[in-house]
Amino acid sequence: MTHHLQPVTAFDMAIFGGTGDLAMRKLLPALFRRFVDDQIPPASRIIGVARTEQGDADYRASVAEALQRAIGGDAELLERIPAFLQLVCYRALDATGEAGWQEFAALMCNGDAERVRVFYLSTSPGIFVDICQRLREHDLHRGNTRVVIEKPIGNDLDSARAINDAVGAVFDEQQIYRIDHYLGKETVQNLLALRFANALFEPLWNAAHIDHVQISVAETVGVEQRGPYYDHAGALRDMVQNHMLQLLCMVAMEPPTSLSPDSVRDEKLKVLHALKPIDAGNASRLTVRGQYRAGAANGGAAPGYLTDLGRDGSRTETFVALKAEVGNWRWAGVPFYLRTGKRLPLRMSEIVVNFRSIPYSIFAEGSGTAQPNKLVLRLQPDEGVKLWVMAKYPGPGGLRLTCVPLDMSFADAFGVAQPDAYERLLLDVVRGNPTLFMRRDEVEAAWRWIDPVLAAWQSSGDAPHGYTAGTWGPSASVALIERDGRTWHDDDSD
Ligand code: NAP
């Protein structure tokens, strides 16, 4: 099968925070790759915006460096950088002040009034409101305009509502794209294809056939430069409230009637509403918090969290494991075990759907035990889908059972490179397709479930368990799942 690329019409995209880490490492390389594949017309404009005073030439030079870092030594791609830079320019302004806005507004209005205009807010959320208000003051919010907002959307339900109210006071909900890049990953879209384009899985996708689901997001890095932000957030807010609950929703939702944005998001919202509460009454049984201590990670000695942070006394969790349950007919009694942490042994994100054991074995003793089937959806580092099934070990020696993976990702078979999630999502914004973006009510429902967990931890007065850097978190997280007679999926078996 060949690529099927749908070019978009020429657009203008202003990236607030255009000099920042996200813009340089993810957004501009993603736009570049779509440009190289001729999906982005050369008449489009990409405008970097930040406070740093510099001209177009200096900005283009730093974008060129960022692109070189992102694409490595691929000569064909390197050749296309100058053509891409023709689309790129820069405007210096402070989003919280007046200076520079007139010129910026003039630039944005200089051209086709019908053209799609995207404002990507890749700055700290603290200035989202200022930016939106200025966009309105300069009449930049009308027409074919979309605004993209990055996480974190709030720190709790009240602060998320305040951001949503303020952005919503300027833009209609259909113009607001709340990005969660996990939803743009190929594997997550493949989950939709597996579930809803095959007759095979959906009849088994329920409590009668699925024993439990595991969702893991593991990082090897510590907090690095993000200490001050992270210490206010912690793993539950940083990872579970957004990425992991979104993945849980994609696994657990009922079949939407179509892939229209509201059909999918209505179904995800129902899952969030169906999550059984975790609060002071059960948090100690259903959740585990950890904080890394010094150890060996990434091939060397790694300091503990407090050393990384540069101060003592923090009780912020860098690891969380929890057992969630979706209270509805489809999932009654099926636990969803979630775990995420920093300074773990591997960098990986995956969903493991564990099917139930066979009801009865006809195989003789010594044939080996039939392992329950598993569907492993790997989001990173190597995106892919594997279905583990039992088979006969080939050759003579009697009927011996062995567990083998069926590779269901097919990317290699089609010879298609896996695009970065931002490539897909940025073009969805330009096309006006918000299916893979979070609606306001989803974000708020997720906070409504998370807030009581945070409150329970706060009121317990307990400190997080320590765990050694380079291990899979505190032993209490192993106990959380082993109490139920289950174990965390061993990644080495993939
Ligand atoms: P960053 O590296 O700190 O960049 C922040 C950007 O905002 C810089 O370009 C900065 O440039 C600009 N800025 C700051 N104050 C400004 C102001 N008053 N007016 C105009 N521009 C201003 O942050 P980042 O890592 O790119 O993250 C950006 C957003 O994405 C954050 O909300 C973050 O949580 C989210 N996010 C980031 C990542 C990631 O991988 N980096 C992943 C997911 C989500 P000047 O200093 O020159 O103004």
Side-chain angles (χ1 to χ4, degrees):
M1 191 184 276
T2 53
H3 274 56
H4 178 66
L5 296 174
Q6 291 175 318
V8 294
T9 52
F11 61 89
D12 291 342
M13 182 177 293
I15 303 177
F16 286 87
T19 57
D21 175 67
L22 184 68
M24 289 294 177
R25 216 165 36 79
K26 289 287 183 184
L27 306 181
L28 289 154
L31 291 166
F32 172 66
R33 286 182 192 279
R34 293 300 90 226
F35 172 78
V36 167
D37 273 349
D38 295 329
Q39 254 185 312
I40 297 185
S44 304
R45 297 188 299 176
I46 297 165
I47 302 121
V49 183
R51 288 167 306 182
T52 304
E53 289 293 344
Q54 62 179 329
D56 289 343
D58 286 339
Y59 185 61
R60 287 186 187 130
S62 51
V63 173
E65 271 176 37
L67 296 179
Q68 282 158 11
R69 272 196 302 276
I71 62 183
D74 187 324
E76 255 178 64
L77 289 181
L78 288 171
E79 260 178 33
R80 301 291 304 276
I81 291 180
F84 177 73
L85 294 178
Q86 299 291 311
L87 278 57
V88 176
C89 65
Y90 180 80
R91 288 297 176 272
L93 59 76
D94 183 340
T96 62
E98 287 301 327
W101 275 96
Q102 290 283 7
E103 296 76 5
F104 174 69
L107 176 72
M108 294 306 293
C109 296
N110 154 25
D112 175 4
E114 295 304 308
R115 140 186 305 233
V116 168
R117 204 156 56 180
V118 178
F119 297 109
Y120 197 119
L121 309 194
S122 179
T123 63
S124 97
I127 57 173
F128 287 175
V129 176
D130 286 290
I131 297 174
C132 290
Q133 284 170 352
R134 295 273 186 285
L135 290 172
R136 181 171 54 190
E137 278 165 25
H138 292 273
D139 209 23
L140 291 171
H141 60 304
R142 294 181 204 284
N144 263 338
T145 301
R146 282 136 216 184
V147 63
V148 184
I149 56 179
E150 266 292 347
K151 76 163 204 184
I153 301 173
N155 204 34
D156 55 15
L157 178 59
D158 287 346
S159 52
R161 276 191 181 137
I163 293 175
N164 283 331
D165 283 346
V167 178
V170 176
F171 293 98
D172 294 337
E173 180 62 27
Q174 308 86 273
Q175 294 178 286
I176 304 170
Y177 288 69
R178 297 176 191 82
I179 200 161
D180 185 325
H181 69 276
Y182 273 54
L183 294 182
K185 288 188 177 282
E186 282 284 300
T187 309
V188 174
Q189 291 161 64
N190 213 349
L191 176 59
L192 289 175
L194 284 176
R195 284 193 62 190
F196 306 126
N198 293 289
L200 200 62
F201 290 104
E202 207 45 31
L204 304 180
W205 210 257
N206 55 54
H209 302 284
I210 292 179
D211 177 73
H212 73 283
V213 177
Q214 297 181 17
I215 302 177
S216 298
V217 176
E219 296 178 283
T220 52
V221 293
V223 283
E224 307 195 300
Q225 278 45 275
R226 296 173 71 217
Y229 156 74
Y230 194 87
D231 201 49
H232 278 107
L236 191 72
R237 291 186 176 99
D238 192 45
M239 283 290 173
V240 180
Q241 187 274 340
N242 37 68
H243 307 313
M244 297 184 83
L245 285 185
Q246 284 293 318
L247 296 181
L248 186 154
C249 287
M250 296 299 271
V251 175
M253 70 181 179
E254 293 300 313
T257 50
S258 72
L259 282 187
S260 76
D262 280 337
S263 294
V264 173
R265 297 186 299 179
D266 286 349
E267 295 307 333
K268 287 196 290 162
L269 183 65
K270 285 183 207 162
V271 175
L272 292 167
H273 285 158
L275 283 172
K276 289 194 177 175
I278 299 181
D279 53 25
N282 56 11
S284 62
R285 189 165 48 83
L286 299 177
T287 69
V288 171
R289 276 179 298 159
Q291 191 185 78
Y292 62 82
R293 306 273 185 262
N298 287 327
Y305 175 70
L306 298 178
T307 310
D308 276 347
L309 191 63
R311 67 174 179 81
D312 281 340
S314 168
R315 291 186 159 201
T316 298
E317 80 286 356
T318 61
F319 176 97
V320 60
L322 60 84
K323 177 179 170 183
E325 211 181 314
V326 180
N328 63 20
W329 274 51
R330 184 186 282 263
W331 295 113
V334 178
F336 285 72
Y337 298 99
L338 274 48
R339 78 178 156 167
T340 181
K342 291 193 173 290
R343 287 255 193 262
L344 300 187
L346 283 179
R347 173 179 172 264
M348 66 89 180
S349 303
E350 68 184 13
I351 302 169
V352 184
V353 179
N354 293 267
F355 291 86
R356 291 196 183 278
S357 304
I358 53 168
Y360 176 77
S361 176
I362 62 167
F363 299 99
E365 235 177 78
S367 306
T369 312
Q371 307 290 327
N373 300 119
K374 278 183 190 186
L375 181 67
V376 179
L377 300 123
R378 172 66 78 96
L379 282 79
Q380 60 187 20
D382 305 309
E383 287 201 57
V385 183
K386 282 181 188 164
L387 179 64
W388 288 82
V389 294
M390 295 308 293
K392 175 189 172 295
Y393 195 83
L399 203 163
R400 285 169 299 144
L401 296 172
T402 182
C403 194
V404 287
L406 295 182
D407 190 338
M408 306 191 64
S409 42
F410 311 122
D412 290 345
F414 291 139
V416 177
Q418 305 262 22
D420 186 81
Y422 280 98
E423 295 178 39
R424 159 78 196 242
L425 295 174
L426 284 167
L427 287 207
D428 276 357
V429 178
V430 175
R431 285 190 200 99
N433 179 3
T435 303
L436 297 176
F437 295 79
M438 294 177 295
R439 213 169 49 191
R440 171 179 185 149
D441 48 9
E442 284 180 82
V443 174
E444 294 181 6
W447 278 120
R448 208 169 285 116
W449 188 74
I450 290 287
D451 274 0
V453 183
L454 291 164
W457 288 350
Q458 181 81 30
S459 66
S460 78
D462 296 340
H465 299 270
Y467 64 96
T468 307
T471 66
W472 281 107
S475 55
S477 106
V478 176
L480 173 86
I481 191 165
E482 290 196 347
R483 267 201 305 271
D484 296 341
R486 303 181 176 103
T487 52
W488 289 110
H489 174 66
D490 174 3
D491 193 68
D492 293 338
S493 59
D494 281 4

